[in-house]
Amino acid sequence: MTTPSLQRRLGLGDAVFIGLGSMVGAGVFAVWAPAADAAGTGLLVGLAIAAVVALGNATSSAQLAAAHPTSGGTYAYGRAELGPWWGFIAGWGFVIGKTASCAAMALTFAAYAAPPGWERPVAIAAVALLTAVNWFGVTRTAGAARVIVVITLGALAAAVTAAISGGAVADSFASGSLWAGGAYGILQSAGLLFFAFAGYARIATMGEEVREPRRVIPRAIVIAFAIALAVYAVVAVAVLAALGPAGVAASTQPVADAAARSGWAWIGVVVRVGAAAGSLGALLALIAGVSRTAFAMARERDLPAVLDRVHPRWHVPHRAELTAGALVVVLVAVVDLRGAIGFSSFGVLLYYFVANVAALRQRGEARRYPAALQIVGAIGCLVLAVTLPWTSVVAGVVVVAVGVAYRAIRLSRAA
């Protein structure tokens, strides 16, 4: 039987915008409140820690993607470099973590775009719409990502300008200690902020649809990561300076509230449009990434074989996309935003731990970056995972255990 495969239609610009659509999306509007609640002004230290860990992960992903240009990201890399069980743990962590991320993005979109009381129905409608966009081909996904990223960056630029023009710096920010949240609080904020940096995985998971993947994917990952880090650093300082750490922690819309200090009547609408667009961009790329990983896992029979079908006209894993969309709809109906962020971070940190270990094993021409980066990335992933809110850790461990049990049962029946 012919192995199902996808078509290579994406160039460097497409890949960069898909990555940016995931990183500079709803996370930049949603993640500051839980991070400030954990560490106060120390979230700036947490952001630096998250960036260092993310750099290790990004370079590991880039190095692995150059050697293994196929769909599935670290699921495929883990299988090739470490063995099937490692690959399964990575793929399962990604699917469950990023499905929760999809729910977080949909809920963030609805918080900015929906009338009061209509948040969940609007979030469900957004998931259905973007699942349909992905259905009609990856080039449409990339085109939509370009438009959405431009709108989001424009809105963020306006919001930062407005926050800075608002006048005096919040006293609690000017006089606050970066270490007031303590080591645990800072590490917890880093784990939550990591949620925002993980978008470069979307580029790697689509490795089977990128032209010249050995050259394009590593470059796209590094470019997208560098741009996203600069954006997050600027927004973090602007929001904290405008509202102070306590104000950020208490806000449900910290970027909008910071911008509102300017007194500009129109800025609230601009921020809402940017946040809604960013949320949609992240959701679009996330659904694409989850479905490609599920497709790769189904192709190896680590998920039900029914998910490995490719649409004959649109050349997308349509059954995996529909399944991912349906699961996100269920989550949107039952979870809250902060819980989704923490749970997502646990699954994705597990995924990147495997990526770092797999990249550390590569030798010779396959090695592109110093091994020290992979060691820092692997240790950082473990530390950040265990310092997440305990409810997120417990839920993550339970869901991973369910996945392990599923695969063990399947293998025993196949024997």
Side-chain angles (χ1 to χ4, degrees):
M1 185 179 71
T2 303
T3 301
S5 61
L6 305 175
Q7 291 191 343
R8 300 194 182 278
R9 298 183 171 187
L10 303 179
L12 176 62
D14 298 321
V16 169
F17 273 99
I18 286 174
L20 282 176
S22 302
M23 287 186 275
V24 186
V28 77
F29 295 94
V31 79
W32 306 116
D37 186 50
T41 307
L43 75 83
L44 294 175
V45 181
L47 181 63
I49 294 171
V52 170
V53 176
L55 176 63
N57 299 339
T59 53
S60 291
S61 296
Q63 180 174 295
L64 289 161
H68 306 285
T70 186
S71 284
T74 300
Y75 168 71
Y77 313 151
R79 284 182 64 90
E81 299 287 345
L82 302 169
W85 269 110
W86 284 84
F88 177 82
I89 293 295
W92 185 253
F94 182 86
V95 168
I96 62 172
K98 287 307 179 182
T99 301
S101 290
C102 289
M105 296 304 98
L107 290 168
T108 301
F109 166 74
Y112 282 92
W118 285 84
E119 289 84 358
R120 292 191 191 274
V122 169
I124 289 171
V127 174
L129 174 63
L130 295 186
T131 301
V133 171
N134 277 325
W135 177 286
F136 291 110
V138 71
T139 54
R140 289 170 175 78
T141 300
R146 285 176 181 269
V147 174
I148 289 168
V149 167
V150 170
I151 293 172
T152 305
L153 291 178
L156 283 172
V160 167
T161 302
I164 293 173
S165 70
V169 174
D171 291 340
S172 53
F173 174 62
S175 61
S177 169
L178 291 175
W179 312 104
Y184 181 78
I186 288 171
L187 289 173
Q188 188 173 110
S189 74
L192 293 167
L193 288 163
F194 182 84
F195 160 85
F197 278 119
Y200 44 79
R202 231 68 62 247
I203 303 169
T205 59
M206 303 179 80
E208 201 169 312
E209 296 165 279
V210 174
R211 297 190 298 270
E212 299 183 76
R214 297 181 190 278
R215 180 183 66 86
V216 169
I217 292 178
R219 292 177 63 191
I221 287 173
V222 173
I223 292 170
F225 171 75
I227 295 172
L229 174 58
V231 171
Y232 271 86
V234 170
V235 174
V237 172
V239 168
L240 281 171
L243 302 179
V248 175
S251 175
T252 57
Q253 301 176 9
V255 176
D257 290 344
R261 292 179 72 246
S262 66
W264 301 349
W266 50 269
I267 194 65
V269 174
V270 171
V271 174
R272 282 184 171 275
V273 170
S279 304
L280 289 179
L283 181 57
L284 181 72
L286 283 166
I287 292 172
V290 170
S291 64
R292 269 63 178 180
T293 302
F295 166 78
M297 295 180 74
R299 197 160 54 181
E300 298 292 345
R301 301 302 182 256
D302 278 337
L303 286 179
V306 69
L307 300 179
D308 78 352
R309 303 298 189 269
V310 176
H311 195 281
R313 178 178 179 185
W314 304 114
H315 307 287
V316 296
H318 57 296
R319 291 186 180 180
E321 286 184 344
L322 286 177
T323 302
L327 290 174
V328 175
V329 165
V330 172
L331 285 179
V332 165
V334 300
V335 302
D336 64 85
L337 179 59
R338 294 192 183 200
I341 289 174
F343 180 74
S344 170
S345 292
F346 182 88
V348 177
L349 285 163
L350 181 63
Y351 173 88
Y352 282 116
F353 170 76
V354 176
N356 284 298
V357 175
L360 191 61
R361 284 180 58 93
Q362 291 183 294
R363 298 288 185 269
E365 293 183 359
R367 175 159 297 284
R368 290 170 172 245
Y369 304 99
L373 283 174
Q374 283 113 50
I375 294 171
V376 168
I379 294 173
C381 285
L382 291 179
V383 171
L384 296 187
V386 299
T387 54
L388 286 168
W390 71 268
T391 51
S392 300
V393 176
V394 171
V397 170
V398 168
V399 175
V400 169
V402 169
V404 170
Y406 163 79
R407 187 170 194 269
I409 293 170
R410 185 189 66 79
L411 290 176
S412 67
R413 288 181 175 176

